[in-house]
Amino acid sequence: MDTEPTSIIGRINRIAQIIQLRSDIVLAANGITRAEFDMLSLLARTGRPMTPTELAGELLISGAGATKRLKKLRDAGLIQREANPRDGRGALIHMTAKAHELLRPILESVLGFEAALLSRLSASTRRELARDLRALLTGLEPPAGS
């Protein structure tokens, strides 16, 4: 039995666990949960208001899960809901100025943490690893529009 794949997949899984646990500590030190950070950073990356359905789909969470996160973020004054002009029944979610102010130092903390994790690797090794992981991920993800 060929166990070579386990040497790679096992390491990828363990690295993901370590990064998740340690970055959750960084987020907690900044007063935010992983779920809240994921939603706010998605809104920041897209740079546009999104519907709750779009947010749930992009974050791979249920509608109920998105609703729970959105309520908590709204109560904290980090997002606002507004009527969707294209669909009077729907809502658009956007970040508040308070969220933008909160997110910047958190992103700097997370990016600093991630840079420290990779600091043991040379620049050329990081580039090669990024290229190889991109190739692996491209083969795993479904084609756009499917």
Side-chain angles (χ1 to χ4, degrees):
M1 185 179 305
D2 181 12
T3 61
E4 181 189 19
T6 304
S7 68
I8 297 170
I9 303 301
R11 286 181 177 100
I12 290 172
N13 285 333
R14 183 65 183 136
I15 289 167
Q17 289 173 337
I18 290 168
I19 291 171
Q20 182 84 32
L21 290 171
R22 291 184 184 172
S23 64
D24 284 348
I25 292 168
V26 171
L27 293 174
N30 283 281
I32 192 168
T33 67
R34 162 78 45 203
E36 294 163 344
F37 175 76
D38 288 347
M39 190 161 281
L40 289 176
S41 60
L42 174 59
L43 285 166
R45 280 192 315 273
T46 61
R48 64 174 177 80
M50 298 178 74
T51 68
T53 302
E54 287 176 308
L55 288 164
E58 288 290 323
L59 294 172
L60 303 176
I61 59 174
S62 69
T67 298
K68 181 178 177 181
R69 291 180 193 185
L70 290 169
K71 181 180 180 340
K72 189 170 181 184
L73 291 169
R74 187 193 67 224
D75 291 348
L78 300 174
I79 61 155
Q80 290 182 327
R81 295 175 67 102
E82 61 185 40
N84 186 338
R86 293 187 214 155
D87 174 5
R89 298 172 293 146
L92 290 174
I93 309 300
H94 63 90
M95 292 174 54
T96 62
K98 179 180 176 181
H100 285 284
E101 291 173 21
L102 174 77
L103 198 55
R104 182 161 186 85
I106 293 172
L107 285 172
E108 289 171 354
S109 292
V110 170
L111 291 171
F113 158 74
E114 290 174 352
L117 285 178
L118 299 174
S119 66
R120 294 181 181 166
L121 303 175
S122 69
S124 64
T125 300
R126 288 192 304 266
R127 284 190 301 273
E128 289 173 27
L129 181 58
R131 182 198 66 226
D132 293 344
L133 290 172
R134 185 180 310 110
L136 177 61
L137 188 56
T138 299
L140 296 173
E141 289 184 327
S146 65

PDB file of all heavy atoms in Angstrom, residues 58-83:
ATOM      1  N   GLU A  58     -20.500  32.473  -0.115  1.00  0.00           N
ATOM      2  CA  GLU A  58     -19.052  32.681  -0.175  1.00  0.00           C
ATOM      3  C   GLU A  58     -18.337  32.085   1.033  1.00  0.00           C
ATOM      4  O   GLU A  58     -17.211  31.615   0.920  1.00  0.00           O
ATOM      5  CB  GLU A  58     -18.723  34.168  -0.278  1.00  0.00           C
ATOM      6  CG  GLU A  58     -19.053  34.778  -1.618  1.00  0.00           C
ATOM      7  CD  GLU A  58     -18.130  34.297  -2.726  1.00  0.00           C
ATOM      8  OE1 GLU A  58     -16.926  34.105  -2.477  1.00  0.00           O
ATOM      9  OE2 GLU A  58     -18.622  34.105  -3.852  1.00  0.00           O
ATOM     10  N   LEU A  59     -18.996  32.116   2.188  1.00  0.00           N
ATOM     11  CA  LEU A  59     -18.376  31.603   3.412  1.00  0.00           C
ATOM     12  C   LEU A  59     -18.689  30.123   3.653  1.00  0.00           C
ATOM     13  O   LEU A  59     -18.225  29.547   4.630  1.00  0.00           O
ATOM     14  CB  LEU A  59     -18.830  32.433   4.618  1.00  0.00           C
ATOM     15  CG  LEU A  59     -18.351  33.882   4.615  1.00  0.00           C
ATOM     16  CD1 LEU A  59     -19.009  34.671   5.737  1.00  0.00           C
ATOM     17  CD2 LEU A  59     -16.831  33.948   4.721  1.00  0.00           C
ATOM     18  N   LEU A  60     -19.487  29.553   2.761  1.00  0.00           N
ATOM     19  CA  LEU A  60     -19.874  28.137   2.874  1.00  0.00           C
ATOM     20  C   LEU A  60     -20.542  27.841   4.213  1.00  0.00           C
ATOM     21  O   LEU A  60     -20.205  26.880   4.902  1.00  0.00           O
ATOM     22  CB  LEU A  60     -18.659  27.227   2.670  1.00  0.00           C
ATOM     23  CG  LEU A  60     -17.910  27.395   1.350  1.00  0.00           C
ATOM     24  CD1 LEU A  60     -16.672  26.514   1.325  1.00  0.00           C
ATOM     25  CD2 LEU A  60     -18.797  27.108   0.156  1.00  0.00           C
ATOM     26  N   ILE A  61     -21.492  28.705   4.580  1.00  0.00           N
ATOM     27  CA  ILE A  61     -22.257  28.505   5.806  1.00  0.00           C
ATOM     28  C   ILE A  61     -23.737  28.522   5.462  1.00  0.00           C
ATOM     29  O   ILE A  61     -24.133  28.960   4.391  1.00  0.00           O
ATOM     30  CB  ILE A  61     -21.939  29.576   6.879  1.00  0.00           C
ATOM     31  CG1 ILE A  61     -22.239  30.991   6.357  1.00  0.00           C
ATOM     32  CG2 ILE A  61     -20.493  29.470   7.334  1.00  0.00           C
ATOM     33  CD1 ILE A  61     -22.079  32.087   7.388  1.00  0.00           C
ATOM     34  N   SER A  62     -24.552  28.052   6.391  1.00  0.00           N
ATOM     35  CA  SER A  62     -25.992  28.028   6.173  1.00  0.00           C
ATOM     36  C   SER A  62     -26.562  29.439   6.281  1.00  0.00           C
ATOM     37  O   SER A  62     -25.933  30.346   6.845  1.00  0.00           O
ATOM     38  CB  SER A  62     -26.659  27.135   7.217  1.00  0.00           C
ATOM     39  OG  SER A  62     -26.572  27.735   8.500  1.00  0.00           O
ATOM     40  N   GLY A  63     -27.763  29.601   5.765  1.00  0.00           N
ATOM     41  CA  GLY A  63     -28.458  30.876   5.901  1.00  0.00           C
ATOM     42  C   GLY A  63     -28.665  31.242   7.354  1.00  0.00           C
ATOM     43  O   GLY A  63     -28.506  32.405   7.743  1.00  0.00           O
ATOM     44  N   ALA A  64     -29.002  30.246   8.167  1.00  0.00           N
ATOM     45  CA  ALA A  64     -29.204  30.492   9.601  1.00  0.00           C
ATOM     46  C   ALA A  64     -27.896  30.930  10.263  1.00  0.00           C
ATOM     47  O   ALA A  64     -27.880  31.821  11.115  1.00  0.00           O
ATOM     48  CB  ALA A  64     -29.759  29.244  10.278  1.00  0.00           C
ATOM     49  N   GLY A  65     -26.790  30.303   9.858  1.00  0.00           N
ATOM     50  CA  GLY A  65     -25.487  30.685  10.396  1.00  0.00           C
ATOM     51  C   GLY A  65     -25.126  32.111  10.024  1.00  0.00           C
ATOM     52  O   GLY A  65     -24.604  32.875  10.842  1.00  0.00           O
ATOM     53  N   ALA A  66     -25.417  32.477   8.783  1.00  0.00           N
ATOM     54  CA  ALA A  66     -25.142  33.846   8.336  1.00  0.00           C
ATOM     55  C   ALA A  66     -26.003  34.832   9.114  1.00  0.00           C
ATOM     56  O   ALA A  66     -25.509  35.878   9.556  1.00  0.00           O
ATOM     57  CB  ALA A  66     -25.399  33.971   6.841  1.00  0.00           C
ATOM     58  N   THR A  67     -27.268  34.509   9.303  1.00  0.00           N
ATOM     59  CA  THR A  67     -28.179  35.393  10.036  1.00  0.00           C
ATOM     60  C   THR A  67     -27.682  35.631  11.454  1.00  0.00           C
ATOM     61  O   THR A  67     -27.685  36.766  11.942  1.00  0.00           O
ATOM     62  CB  THR A  67     -29.598  34.789  10.061  1.00  0.00           C
ATOM     63  OG1 THR A  67     -30.060  34.678   8.710  1.00  0.00           O
ATOM     64  CG2 THR A  67     -30.559  35.639  10.869  1.00  0.00           C
ATOM     65  N   LYS A  68     -27.221  34.571  12.112  1.00  0.00           N
ATOM     66  CA  LYS A  68     -26.711  34.691  13.484  1.00  0.00           C
ATOM     67  C   LYS A  68     -25.489  35.615  13.525  1.00  0.00           C
ATOM     68  O   LYS A  68     -25.399  36.499  14.375  1.00  0.00           O
ATOM     69  CB  LYS A  68     -26.348  33.307  14.011  1.00  0.00           C
ATOM     70  CG  LYS A  68     -25.844  33.296  15.423  1.00  0.00           C
ATOM     71  CD  LYS A  68     -25.547  31.872  15.880  1.00  0.00           C
ATOM     72  CE  LYS A  68     -24.973  31.873  17.279  1.00  0.00           C
ATOM     73  NZ  LYS A  68     -24.645  30.535  17.745  1.00  0.00           N
ATOM     74  N   ARG A  69     -24.557  35.432  12.586  1.00  0.00           N
ATOM     75  CA  ARG A  69     -23.365  36.279  12.543  1.00  0.00           C
ATOM     76  C   ARG A  69     -23.731  37.724  12.235  1.00  0.00           C
ATOM     77  O   ARG A  69     -23.188  38.656  12.830  1.00  0.00           O
ATOM     78  CB  ARG A  69     -22.392  35.779  11.482  1.00  0.00           C
ATOM     79  CG  ARG A  69     -21.751  34.470  11.819  1.00  0.00           C
ATOM     80  CD  ARG A  69     -20.798  34.030  10.728  1.00  0.00           C
ATOM     81  NE  ARG A  69     -20.424  32.638  10.914  1.00  0.00           N
ATOM     82  CZ  ARG A  69     -19.532  32.016  10.179  1.00  0.00           C
ATOM     83  NH1 ARG A  69     -18.923  32.654   9.196  1.00  0.00           N
ATOM     84  NH2 ARG A  69     -19.232  30.752  10.402  1.00  0.00           N
ATOM     85  N   LEU A  70     -24.642  37.908  11.284  1.00  0.00           N
ATOM     86  CA  LEU A  70     -25.041  39.259  10.901  1.00  0.00           C
ATOM     87  C   LEU A  70     -25.700  39.998  12.052  1.00  0.00           C
ATOM     88  O   LEU A  70     -25.459  41.192  12.255  1.00  0.00           O
ATOM     89  CB  LEU A  70     -25.967  39.215   9.681  1.00  0.00           C
ATOM     90  CG  LEU A  70     -25.281  38.800   8.376  1.00  0.00           C
ATOM     91  CD1 LEU A  70     -26.330  38.531   7.297  1.00  0.00           C
ATOM     92  CD2 LEU A  70     -24.274  39.845   7.928  1.00  0.00           C
ATOM     93  N   LYS A  71     -26.516  39.299  12.814  1.00  0.00           N
ATOM     94  CA  LYS A  71     -27.176  39.928  13.963  1.00  0.00           C
ATOM     95  C   LYS A  71     -26.145  40.396  14.982  1.00  0.00           C
ATOM     96  O   LYS A  71     -26.207  41.521  15.477  1.00  0.00           O
ATOM     97  CB  LYS A  71     -28.164  38.962  14.612  1.00  0.00           C
ATOM     98  CG  LYS A  71     -28.903  39.574  15.800  1.00  0.00           C
ATOM     99  CD  LYS A  71     -29.873  38.605  16.422  1.00  0.00           C
ATOM    100  CE  LYS A  71     -30.631  39.132  17.596  1.00  0.00           C
ATOM    101  NZ  LYS A  71     -30.134  40.267  18.327  1.00  0.00           N
ATOM    102  N   LYS A  72     -25.177  39.544  15.255  1.00  0.00           N
ATOM    103  CA  LYS A  72     -24.141  39.899  16.225  1.00  0.00           C
ATOM    104  C   LYS A  72     -23.323  41.095  15.734  1.00  0.00           C
ATOM    105  O   LYS A  72     -23.027  42.011  16.498  1.00  0.00           O
ATOM    106  CB  LYS A  72     -23.242  38.695  16.487  1.00  0.00           C
ATOM    107  CG  LYS A  72     -22.290  38.900  17.619  1.00  0.00           C
ATOM    108  CD  LYS A  72     -21.587  37.611  17.997  1.00  0.00           C
ATOM    109  CE  LYS A  72     -20.661  37.880  19.165  1.00  0.00           C
ATOM    110  NZ  LYS A  72     -19.880  36.726  19.542  1.00  0.00           N
ATOM    111  N   LEU A  73     -22.969  41.098  14.454  1.00  0.00           N
ATOM    112  CA  LEU A  73     -22.203  42.203  13.890  1.00  0.00           C
ATOM    113  C   LEU A  73     -23.020  43.495  13.856  1.00  0.00           C
ATOM    114  O   LEU A  73     -22.487  44.577  14.115  1.00  0.00           O
ATOM    115  CB  LEU A  73     -21.703  41.853  12.486  1.00  0.00           C
ATOM    116  CG  LEU A  73     -20.625  40.764  12.414  1.00  0.00           C
ATOM    117  CD1 LEU A  73     -20.410  40.324  10.978  1.00  0.00           C
ATOM    118  CD2 LEU A  73     -19.330  41.253  13.042  1.00  0.00           C
ATOM    119  N   ARG A  74     -24.315  43.381  13.559  1.00  0.00           N
ATOM    120  CA  ARG A  74     -25.185  44.562  13.555  1.00  0.00           C
ATOM    121  C   ARG A  74     -25.307  45.128  14.967  1.00  0.00           C
ATOM    122  O   ARG A  74     -25.202  46.338  15.177  1.00  0.00           O
ATOM    123  CB  ARG A  74     -26.563  44.216  13.004  1.00  0.00           C
ATOM    124  CG  ARG A  74     -27.443  45.470  12.832  1.00  0.00           C
ATOM    125  CD  ARG A  74     -28.888  45.138  12.581  1.00  0.00           C
ATOM    126  NE  ARG A  74     -29.433  44.524  13.781  1.00  0.00           N
ATOM    127  CZ  ARG A  74     -30.216  43.440  13.805  1.00  0.00           C
ATOM    128  NH1 ARG A  74     -30.589  42.845  12.702  1.00  0.00           N
ATOM    129  NH2 ARG A  74     -30.657  42.946  14.942  1.00  0.00           N
ATOM    130  N   ASP A  75     -25.504  44.241  15.952  1.00  0.00           N
ATOM    131  CA  ASP A  75     -25.627  44.688  17.341  1.00  0.00           C
ATOM    132  C   ASP A  75     -24.356  45.374  17.837  1.00  0.00           C
ATOM    133  O   ASP A  75     -24.411  46.244  18.701  1.00  0.00           O
ATOM    134  CB  ASP A  75     -25.988  43.515  18.256  1.00  0.00           C
ATOM    135  CG  ASP A  75     -27.395  42.990  18.018  1.00  0.00           C
ATOM    136  OD1 ASP A  75     -28.186  43.646  17.308  1.00  0.00           O
ATOM    137  OD2 ASP A  75     -27.701  41.886  18.541  1.00  0.00           O
ATOM    138  N   ALA A  76     -23.204  44.974  17.273  1.00  0.00           N
ATOM    139  CA  ALA A  76     -21.925  45.580  17.649  1.00  0.00           C
ATOM    140  C   ALA A  76     -21.652  46.853  16.858  1.00  0.00           C
ATOM    141  O   ALA A  76     -20.632  47.514  17.066  1.00  0.00           O
ATOM    142  CB  ALA A  76     -20.794  44.574  17.434  1.00  0.00           C
ATOM    143  N   GLY A  77     -22.546  47.206  15.931  1.00  0.00           N
ATOM    144  CA  GLY A  77     -22.378  48.411  15.131  1.00  0.00           C
ATOM    145  C   GLY A  77     -21.341  48.270  14.025  1.00  0.00           C
ATOM    146  O   GLY A  77     -20.797  49.264  13.553  1.00  0.00           O
ATOM    147  N   LEU A  78     -21.091  47.022  13.590  1.00  0.00           N
ATOM    148  CA  LEU A  78     -20.054  46.781  12.591  1.00  0.00           C
ATOM    149  C   LEU A  78     -20.597  46.629  11.174  1.00  0.00           C
ATOM    150  O   LEU A  78     -19.854  46.753  10.205  1.00  0.00           O
ATOM    151  CB  LEU A  78     -19.234  45.554  12.978  1.00  0.00           C
ATOM    152  CG  LEU A  78     -18.513  45.665  14.328  1.00  0.00           C
ATOM    153  CD1 LEU A  78     -17.840  44.358  14.689  1.00  0.00           C
ATOM    154  CD2 LEU A  78     -17.518  46.819  14.305  1.00  0.00           C
ATOM    155  N   ILE A  79     -21.881  46.354  11.053  1.00  0.00           N
ATOM    156  CA  ILE A  79     -22.522  46.275   9.730  1.00  0.00           C
ATOM    157  C   ILE A  79     -23.850  47.003   9.780  1.00  0.00           C
ATOM    158  O   ILE A  79     -24.409  47.235  10.852  1.00  0.00           O
ATOM    159  CB  ILE A  79     -22.768  44.815   9.259  1.00  0.00           C
ATOM    160  CG1 ILE A  79     -23.703  44.106  10.232  1.00  0.00           C
ATOM    161  CG2 ILE A  79     -21.474  44.063   9.053  1.00  0.00           C
ATOM    162  CD1 ILE A  79     -24.466  42.962   9.614  1.00  0.00           C
ATOM    163  N   GLN A  80     -24.337  47.346   8.606  1.00  0.00           N
ATOM    164  CA  GLN A  80     -25.681  47.912   8.464  1.00  0.00           C
ATOM    165  C   GLN A  80     -26.400  47.146   7.374  1.00  0.00           C
ATOM    166  O   GLN A  80     -25.783  46.698   6.406  1.00  0.00           O
ATOM    167  CB  GLN A  80     -25.617  49.392   8.100  1.00  0.00           C
ATOM    168  CG  GLN A  80     -25.137  50.259   9.219  1.00  0.00           C
ATOM    169  CD  GLN A  80     -25.142  51.727   8.819  1.00  0.00           C
ATOM    170  OE1 GLN A  80     -24.919  52.068   7.669  1.00  0.00           O
ATOM    171  NE2 GLN A  80     -25.389  52.588   9.794  1.00  0.00           N
ATOM    172  N   ARG A  81     -27.693  46.997   7.576  1.00  0.00           N
ATOM    173  CA  ARG A  81     -28.560  46.392   6.564  1.00  0.00           C
ATOM    174  C   ARG A  81     -29.346  47.516   5.913  1.00  0.00           C
ATOM    175  O   ARG A  81     -29.832  48.410   6.593  1.00  0.00           O
ATOM    176  CB  ARG A  81     -29.537  45.417   7.213  1.00  0.00           C
ATOM    177  CG  ARG A  81     -28.931  44.211   7.852  1.00  0.00           C
ATOM    178  CD  ARG A  81     -29.987  43.379   8.569  1.00  0.00           C
ATOM    179  NE  ARG A  81     -30.902  42.787   7.614  1.00  0.00           N
ATOM    180  CZ  ARG A  81     -30.870  41.517   7.220  1.00  0.00           C
ATOM    181  NH1 ARG A  81     -29.976  40.713   7.722  1.00  0.00           N
ATOM    182  NH2 ARG A  81     -31.722  41.060   6.347  1.00  0.00           N
ATOM    183  N   GLU A  82     -29.462  47.433   4.612  1.00  0.00           N
ATOM    184  CA  GLU A  82     -30.305  48.398   3.909  1.00  0.00           C
ATOM    185  C   GLU A  82     -31.133  47.631   2.894  1.00  0.00           C
ATOM    186  O   GLU A  82     -30.757  46.537   2.474  1.00  0.00           O
ATOM    187  CB  GLU A  82     -29.462  49.477   3.233  1.00  0.00           C
ATOM    188  CG  GLU A  82     -28.506  48.940   2.194  1.00  0.00           C
ATOM    189  CD  GLU A  82     -27.601  50.024   1.631  1.00  0.00           C
ATOM    190  OE1 GLU A  82     -27.135  50.876   2.377  1.00  0.00           O
ATOM    191  OE2 GLU A  82     -27.363  49.979   0.409  1.00  0.00           O
ATOM    192  N   ALA A  83     -32.243  48.206   2.525  1.00  0.00           N
ATOM    193  CA  ALA A  83     -33.105  47.552   1.540  1.00  0.00           C
ATOM    194  C   ALA A  83     -32.367  47.431   0.215  1.00  0.00           C
ATOM    195  O   ALA A  83     -31.672  48.347  -0.211  1.00  0.00           O
ATOM    196  CB  ALA A  83     -34.391  48.349   1.355  1.00  0.00           C
TER     197      ALA A  83
END
